[in-house]
Amino acid sequence: MINSMYTIISYLSPYIVSFILLLTLSPHRALLKRKPLKIQLMTLILPLAFTLIYLAPQWLGLYSNVQDIPYPYFFILLFLTGLFFSHQIKASPILPQIIIIFFYITVLQLIKIACGPIYFGAEFPTRKLIDVLLSFLTFFILYAMNTYIKKFPIYFSSHLPKRYWLLLFGSPLSIYLYFTFFNPFVHYEYDASLCALLILVNMVLIYYLFALATYQLKEIKTSEQVTQNLERQILNLKHEEALIDLVGKQKHELKNNYFYIHTLLNQKKYDELDDYLTHSIGDVFESIEDYHTGNQLVDFVINQKFKEAQKQQIKVSLNARLPQELPIQSEDLSALLLNLLNNAIEASEKEVYKQLVLNLKIYKNYLHIQIKNYCSEDILQINPQLKTSKPYSSKHGYGLKIVKSIVKKYHGFFKIDMVNHYFTVSILLELNIQN
């Protein structure tokens, strides 16, 4: 039984190892589903060709059994197979693929070395059983590595200096060369010094890459802050432009009304003048519903956005009482309200029943902002991460990021809920005021 399993594993092992490598190099996550037919066939046939070429020296009588075939021959052949596969599937660029192959081969070599002491003192039948068990363990580790690489892929960038890529090569290559040509189970006298040197070099590489990663993270955070500030400025400019346009239109209308009223007075058409003032201008003023919170900036933003909402047949409601002055920068307050109202209006446009409710008040030492819009479905169940559904999503999705950054700036609290079919955003901003 053990002998049969040992023989089967000896011949299947090259196929399985190369098969997992090709899965790792494939650009698709699924095992074989949803892959182009060419990639599916190559993923199945190339490991078979690799196995036949690898076992050829034994069949030609150069070696008595599989275990006698040199490991460097196995690894070189595996590297060429992976390289050929990457070229055939037109993996572009090829450099990250080569790095993955190097890491894969190095991990395979390390597994072999790490498991070496298990064989010490084992009789021949026991060694075969150990071989079978360790083969299954190796397959599991390699497939886990495949999953890990798929989850955290290497992205190629032409802007990345070449020395960074050389560093990625250096770590696995140095480990592989050490355990291939300076096997610690043979070169006892060099083991401690060479191993220490290897660890030292890799510690330097790891530290450098970690420092590089933290620097890049810092740059990304800075870039996000700059982007958010630009988004706020653009929002403010757009609404300032809207205000200027509104003032211009009102000035034009006022001028026309003035001349028409003046004409009616000169012609002493008092009945027509009374009718014009009552029905035309009176109806205009009645149709203009101003919303007042007590704060001029907030009034302007709310009136502008509520008018947009009413044009979309959205029923709006406001409950607000604020002081004339708030210890919050105007650009932060306007950006916060604009983003919240934009999101609520956009979501309400998709509903049959359209309603938006805004509550503003001072609660103890906090400005409390709550905005609710009716949703027929539970958005938090359908889209818990609230990812944008707009095209080119990388260019959108800054709304909530801006809101959260402002909340963080004022040491506040941010909460999202679904309450009785209302998508509700609640915010508290610390005011730092005495009264």
Side-chain angles (χ1 to χ4, degrees), residues 14 69 274 281 298-299 323 425 427:
I69 300 176
D274 181 67
I281 294 182
V298 176
D299 289 349
V425 179
I427 290 172

Side-chain angles (χ1 to χ4, degrees), residues 159-188:
H159 302 290
L160 197 65
K162 292 181 180 179
R163 64 179 181 274
Y164 296 166
W165 295 105
L166 292 174
L167 285 171
L168 282 175
F169 277 113
S171 181
L173 183 61
S174 62
I175 294 172
Y176 171 74
L177 292 175
Y178 171 74
F179 284 109
T180 300
F181 298 105
F182 297 96
N183 193 321
F185 301 116
V186 177
H187 303 276
Y188 294 103

